[in-house]
Amino acid sequence: MLLVYWPDRAARADPFAPGQALDGALLADVASSALAFIAPNTIEAVPLSQLTLWGLRGLNTLDPTVLVQSGGGTTRLFVAERPILALDAPPESDARAWGELAARLIQAAWNGSEVLRRVGAQRIVVGFFDEMFSHLDPYSRYVPPREATAERNDRRGRVEVGLAVAVRDGAPIVVRVVADGPAANAGLRVGEQLLSIGGQDLEGADIDGINGLLAGEEGSVVDIEVLSRNGRTRRITLARELVVPNTVTASRIGVLLLLRVSSFNRDTGAMLARELASAVTGPHPPRGIVLDLRGNRGGLLRQAAAAASTLLSSGTVVRTIGRGDGANHDYAVDGQDLAAGRPVVVLVDGQTASAAEILAAALADQGRAVVVGSATFGKGL
């Protein structure tokens, strides 16, 4: 997956949200930053002019009357067969200039097309990258800022108190408590009701308001009043901390240890190592390991290598080769077989992708595990 993030000045907002006018200067920043990143990192070299033209063709998918043509060193925009704008091609090596060219043409198309104004700026930006990526890599996609922030938090963790709330019959109920998070360590349990946060009564509060009261800076504290299932109320103080989502869960099926890995974030390798070591050194060690990667869409590649290192004692997990700086890298095993040679079965399905596929393949290629299930997603570019 290729994540195209926004320039710093747009990082904390959705500047192309529905109903907003097109911000040409911001669009130029976004297009320029993307082109500067993408061009040196494609598998095969693609000129900036071609990347830009591919992206601009996304306008035609939204409004078939909008056409962008390039030839003779000039890029031309037509709307309903009327010539709207013609721009000379900038130097092939100037990503900034090509981004500005794209922004000027998109702005002119916006001004001339009611259809484009109706679909909105965000959809135009998505269409620009979707069309570009359709020629490069079907597994790459553009991610708007709000979604990009959420995905980054899933990998790196987020500052929170470690609980999730849902409003049921008008009452805010705890529906999830993060293991080893502030809420769990304070004894908060799923099913308990929140009565107040920071002294503010929650009667009639909606979920956005509740989450707003729970949010805050890392290291700050918040007082919460809780109604437990037995009808008792208590007050607890929670510190807001960087909480990394738990991606590894362990359970026993007879003599087998089942390890479910949902994705790969910054702690996945360490979590897997802890669960393996705890089970193997416990009073009833398992006779075999089942590693469940079904539905795992991937995540951090380094963590897939770290996960492989919990079951392998030597060898290479994966090797990456590319044109960009730092693209060539060998991810070698750096650990020991914590399962001490116990047999391993890896479960996969059609939604097992990316880093999860790499982990399954590495274990199979080195004869450490048998892979069972359907064909995986096949993300290989």
Side-chain angles (χ1 to χ4, degrees):
M1 181 189 299
L2 175 61
L3 301 181
V4 180
Y5 295 111
W6 298 76
D8 290 343
R9 69 191 183 96
R12 289 181 292 277
D14 273 336
F16 294 146
Q20 294 190 13
L22 185 69
D23 185 336
L26 177 60
L27 181 60
D29 285 346
V30 172
S32 300
S33 298
L35 290 169
F37 173 75
I38 293 170
N41 287 295
T42 56
I43 296 175
E44 301 292 340
V46 180
L48 284 168
S49 56
Q50 184 63 76
L51 291 172
T52 305
L53 185 60
W54 282 340
L56 289 169
R57 287 174 181 168
L59 296 171
N60 182 256
T61 65
L62 299 172
D63 182 353
T65 71
V66 176
L67 181 64
V68 177
Q69 293 181 336
S70 181
T74 303
T75 304
R76 298 175 175 84
L77 170 71
F78 300 85
V79 177
E81 299 184 349
R82 292 183 295 109
I84 301 297
L85 182 64
L87 298 175
D88 291 336
E92 189 59 59
S93 60
D94 192 340
R96 179 71 202 183
W98 280 104
E100 291 175 348
L101 178 143
R104 290 182 62 188
L105 290 169
I106 292 172
Q107 182 72 68
W110 170 278
N111 294 337
S113 168
E114 182 181 350
V115 173
L116 293 182
R117 294 193 298 272
R118 188 166 62 246
V119 300
Q122 185 76 280
R123 187 65 192 88
I124 291 173
V125 176
V126 171
F128 179 87
F129 288 111
D130 281 352
E131 188 65 25
M132 184 190 301
F133 292 152
S134 71
H135 296 275
L136 295 174
D137 176 2
Y139 306 113
S140 294
R141 63 189 180 94
Y142 161 80
V143 180
R146 192 182 301 272
E147 184 182 344
T149 299
E151 292 194 7
R152 185 187 298 112
N153 288 339
D154 286 340
R155 296 189 303 273
R156 300 180 181 176
R158 68 188 75 207
V159 175
E160 57 173 283
V161 295
L163 63 87
V165 178
V167 177
R168 295 176 176 172
D169 298 327
I173 304 298
V174 177
V175 294
R176 181 177 62 87
V177 178
V178 178
D180 295 327
N185 293 334
L188 204 63
R189 297 290 180 264
V190 170
E192 294 187 307
Q193 178 183 343
L194 302 186
L195 300 177
S196 69
I197 300 174
Q200 295 194 35
D201 192 289
L202 298 182
E203 185 176 358
D206 60 20
I207 192 64
D208 288 338
I210 294 169
N211 287 335
L213 292 172
L214 290 172
E217 296 294 325
E218 185 173 6
S220 62
V221 298
V222 60
D223 295 323
I224 297 177
E225 186 178 10
V226 180
L227 175 64
S228 64
R229 290 180 174 180
N230 61 13
R232 296 177 56 187
T233 62
R234 69 185 192 281
R235 294 181 184 274
I236 58 177
T237 299
L238 301 178
R240 298 180 176 100
E241 301 175 358
L242 183 65
V243 176
V244 180
N246 184 16
T247 58
V248 180
T249 55
S251 59
R252 292 295 292 262
I253 304 177
V255 297
L256 300 178
L257 173 65
L258 174 62
L259 294 169
R260 164 83 177 128
V261 182
S262 59
S263 63
F264 295 91
N265 66 17
R266 54 179 280 180
D267 278 358
T268 300
M271 292 178 187
L272 190 61
R274 283 198 302 269
E275 295 293 353
L276 266 172
S278 175
V280 170
T281 60
H284 303 288
R287 292 176 55 187
I289 312 295
V290 177
L291 184 62
D292 188 355
L293 300 181
R294 292 174 297 177
N296 186 321
R297 303 301 297 270
L300 298 179
L301 180 56
R302 287 187 178 277
Q303 289 300 310
S309 294
T310 66
L311 292 167
L312 296 170
S313 55
S314 63
T316 296
V317 177
V318 64
R319 179 177 295 115
T320 60
I321 300 172
R323 297 190 302 113
D325 293 339
N328 300 324
H329 188 79
D330 284 350
Y331 292 86
V333 171
D334 181 20
Q336 60 177 321
D337 182 1
L338 298 178
R342 289 172 173 82
V344 178
V345 171
V346 180
L347 302 182
V348 299
D349 64 9
Q351 298 303 308
T352 303
S354 194
E357 290 177 291
I358 288 172
L359 174 58
L363 295 176
D365 286 351
Q366 299 200 39
R368 184 63 186 90
V370 174
V371 178
V372 177
S374 66
T376 59
F377 189 78
K379 181 176 176 182
L381 294 181

